Amino acid sequence: MAASGNKAWQKGLDRIPQAVGEFPVEPANMALLVIDMQYYVAHPDYGVLKNYIDSDPEAAQYYSDRLKIVIPNCAKLLDFFRKNKIRIFSGCFGASLLDGSDLHPLRQARLKEVPAFTTEDFEFKVLEELEPQRGELIVPKATRSAFMGTSLNHRMRMAGIDTVVVVGTATDVCVSSTARSAWDLGYKVIMIDDASATFTEEDQIYTMRNWAAFFGKVLDTDELISNLQEKL
């Protein structure tokens, strides 16, 4: 579901069977869903990125540089959605049980090497520049998808949401898992390429190309805003 163009993820897209139909970008019944833009995974002084700098400095540098693009774009989207009174949700990863025993068993097996944090820890907090405001629901999650084991689907349905814009980190992990869950639940889903970050350029490109071919739309921040402004 992508127009022809010169974006990196569009290369080779015409060779993949387009498995889904088109849909209009409409602000009515739309929500922005921000995934894991927390100190835990989106700040160089904490959690994942701090540990990653030591284990794989090249990938950590790419990811850190990517976040310098993604964080301002997430902030831009949040500002636009707020000004136009379009709903905003945030999915945030963290164990609710202090010993992490509510995480996936295979995630628990790596807690010593790759620490996780609880909903009570500072690392669970959303970055200050993207901090949710009053009336914007924060959904704690102990899995990759913000829909799994949470009330997010119920709350979105009650609010009349049928289209979800997904941004955040990591693109090919929690962002993609959340987007796929939303698609499986029947939502129309838009991924924003320049408002999502992961650890390699190859993984970013593949995730966007795969999404455009088999699931929904891929847009950039300014493209989405421009499309929505025409309808408001």
Side-chain angles (χ1 to χ4, degrees), residues 15-230:
R15 299 174 61 189
I16 304 173
Q18 301 298 292
V20 289
E22 281 288 346
F23 61 89
V25 179
E26 299 282 356
N29 305 320
M30 177 179 282
L32 177 65
L33 178 52
V34 183
I35 299 297
D36 292 1
M37 293 304 291
Q38 304 159 257
Y39 285 92
Y40 163 67
V41 73
H43 194 287
D45 296 336
Y46 301 92
V48 170
L49 190 49
K50 181 180 180 180
N51 293 335
Y52 211 44
I53 288 170
D54 295 329
S55 64
D56 192 336
E58 182 178 351
Q61 187 61 57
Y62 170 80
Y63 183 53
S64 182
D65 290 343
R66 180 79 184 175
L67 286 171
K68 292 174 184 176
I69 298 169
V70 167
I71 292 171
N73 282 333
C74 285
K76 188 174 185 177
L77 287 168
L78 285 166
D79 181 64
F80 179 83
F81 273 64
R82 285 165 180 159
K83 286 180 177 177
N84 289 283
K85 297 184 176 7
I86 307 173
R87 290 195 183 274
I88 297 169
F89 299 80
S90 290
C92 296
F93 180 80
S96 295
L97 298 177
L98 297 183
D99 62 357
S101 59
D102 57 325
L103 300 175
H104 192 287
L106 296 180
R107 182 65 182 88
Q108 293 181 48
R110 292 280 293 168
L111 286 177
K112 288 184 179 180
E113 295 82 1
V114 186
F117 300 91
T118 76
T119 55
E120 296 184 9
D121 292 321
F122 172 80
E123 287 84 353
F124 179 79
K125 293 179 181 293
V126 175
L127 298 176
E128 182 178 7
E129 52 266 62
L130 306 178
E131 188 175 5
Q133 295 184 1
R134 185 170 182 264
E136 297 172 4
L137 183 68
I138 301 174
V139 180
K141 63 187 183 72
T143 60
R144 304 305 187 198
S145 170
F147 288 94
M148 181 63 67
T150 74
S151 63
L152 180 57
N153 180 47
H154 173 77
R155 293 174 184 272
M156 282 193 169
R157 294 296 188 196
M158 293 301 99
I161 304 301
D162 65 19
T163 304
V164 183
V165 177
V166 186
V167 301
T169 189
T171 306
D172 52 332
V173 187
C174 294
V175 174
S176 177
S177 294
T178 297
R180 286 171 181 244
S181 291
W183 191 88
D184 285 339
L185 288 165
Y187 294 94
K188 293 170 284 187
V189 185
I190 303 169
M191 294 187 75
I192 306 300
D193 183 32
D194 63 356
S196 59
T198 193
F199 301 101
T200 71
E201 184 178 15
E202 293 82 3
D203 288 335
Q204 180 72 27
I205 291 170
Y206 171 78
T207 303
M208 293 299 133
R209 183 187 297 127
N210 185 67
W211 189 262
F214 298 109
F215 296 97
K217 284 186 182 295
V218 177
L219 299 173
D220 286 335
T221 297
D222 288 343
E223 284 182 299
L224 176 65
I225 290 174
S226 177
N227 285 340
L228 291 175
Q229 283 176 329
E230 294 176 0

